[in-house]
Amino acid sequence: NAGVTQTPKFRVLKTGQSMTLLCAQDMNHEYMYWYRQDPGMGLRLIHYSVGEGTTAKGEVPDGYNVSRLKKQNFLLGLESAAPSQTSVYFCASGTQSGYYGYTFGSGTRLTVV
Amino acid sequence: AQSVTQLGSHVSVSEGALVLLRCNYSSSVPPYLFWYVQYPNQGLQLLLKYTSAATLVKGINGFEAEFKKSETSFHLTKPSAHMSDAAEYFCAVTPGQGGKLIFGQGTELSVKP
């Protein structure tokens, strides 16, 4: 089925460890986004990309890096995980205009201990 | 810069009663507006969208929303609540071409029997 796939679905990290979250879409969308969801705070934009090879900072970019080497993939990296990064992470993709809305992945639940 | 405010982090209605979830936005350009629903432990599903066509937008599951430019609002309504409507609802805004997709804080809807 076409859509947005996030891997892994769950992960537990120790403080200071690094990891990469992968987002893949097969809808040929230009735009891709990474959000974190925390109770009472909605979805906050971490980083986004408007096309292959481009990235931009969102509302809460500190402690995260991203790369968009291929149009279909958007990677989110945590270089040195902290307990404050315990969250549910969602990836989304959409067309340039946003006219058709945005498609979300099922999320990655990350716990940093 | 655009922003979204959802009034009320928690709304409780009786089954069969009117559902009204409030969303106000700010945007420097004509926006695209969206309502998403999130069921427990799931991703986000698009309910409906406004993209500068009809101001009254109908979505899935009997929901609709009206874009009111003068009030900068995009409130979500459903005439008769069903138990299955219990979920968290998010309003989101984007200026369209080249813009970020920004979410409100979310409103949790509870439906009492």
Side-chain angles (χ1 to χ4, degrees):
Chain A
N1 290 338
V4 177
T5 303
Q6 290 184 235
T7 53
K9 295 190 183 305
F10 303 93
R11 185 73 184 269
V12 178
L13 282 180
K14 294 183 178 179
T15 297
Q17 287 184 319
S18 63
M19 78 164 293
T20 300
L21 283 67
L22 172 63
C23 177
Q25 53 96 0
D26 57 4
M27 297 169 285
N28 202 35
H29 285 163
E30 289 291 335
Y31 286 18
M32 297 186 75
Y33 302 83
W34 275 109
Y35 294 89
R36 59 177 291 172
Q37 183 179 25
D38 303 290
M41 305 190 76
L43 281 83
R44 292 181 292 168
L45 182 62
I46 305 172
H47 286 281
Y48 66 105
S49 169
V50 300
E52 181 178 316
T54 73
T55 62
K57 294 180 180 180
E59 303 168 271
V60 289
D62 293 342
Y64 305 94
N65 58 74
V66 288
S67 64
R68 183 104 180 264
L69 299 179
K70 293 183 178 180
K71 186 177 184 178
Q72 64 268 34
N73 296 337
F74 195 29
L75 279 62
L76 178 70
L78 286 73
E79 294 178 343
S80 179
S84 60
Q85 294 178 304
T86 293
S87 188
V88 180
Y89 292 85
F90 286 100
C91 176
S93 72
T95 61
Q96 184 178 11
S97 68
Y99 182 84
Y100 299 102
Y102 298 84
T103 303
F104 280 78
S106 58
T108 295
R109 187 173 296 274
L110 175 66
T111 302
V112 182
V113 298
Chain B
Q2 68 266 37
S3 65
V4 177
T5 301
Q6 291 184 238
L7 300 177
S9 59
H10 196 119
V11 171
S12 182
V13 301
S14 298
E15 192 172 20
L18 171 71
V19 175
L20 171 60
L21 304 182
R22 300 177 186 273
C23 172
N24 288 88
Y25 70 91
S26 68
S27 180
S28 56
V29 298
Y32 289 175
L33 293 156
F34 307 88
W35 275 100
Y36 282 86
V37 60
Q38 184 182 34
Y39 298 102
N41 299 313
Q42 294 188 25
L44 279 76
Q45 179 182 3
L46 181 65
L47 267 181
L48 50 79
K49 60 183 173 76
Y50 167 76
T51 53
S52 73
T55 57
L56 182 62
V57 180
K58 295 186 184 298
I60 61 172
N61 302 337
F63 284 93
E64 62 182 37
E66 186 172 9
F67 172 70
K68 292 187 176 180
K69 184 178 179 180
S70 61
E71 299 178 6
T72 61
S73 68
F74 190 57
H75 301 331
L76 182 70
T77 61
K78 182 174 181 177
S80 177
H82 191 273
M83 296 296 291
S84 61
D85 295 327
E88 188 153 22
Y89 292 80
F90 292 95
C91 182
V93 64
T94 180
Q97 301 283 346
K100 305 174 188 178
L101 178 64
I102 300 298
F103 283 83
Q105 302 91 326
T107 299
E108 185 176 356
L109 175 67
S110 300
V111 182
K112 298 174 292 186

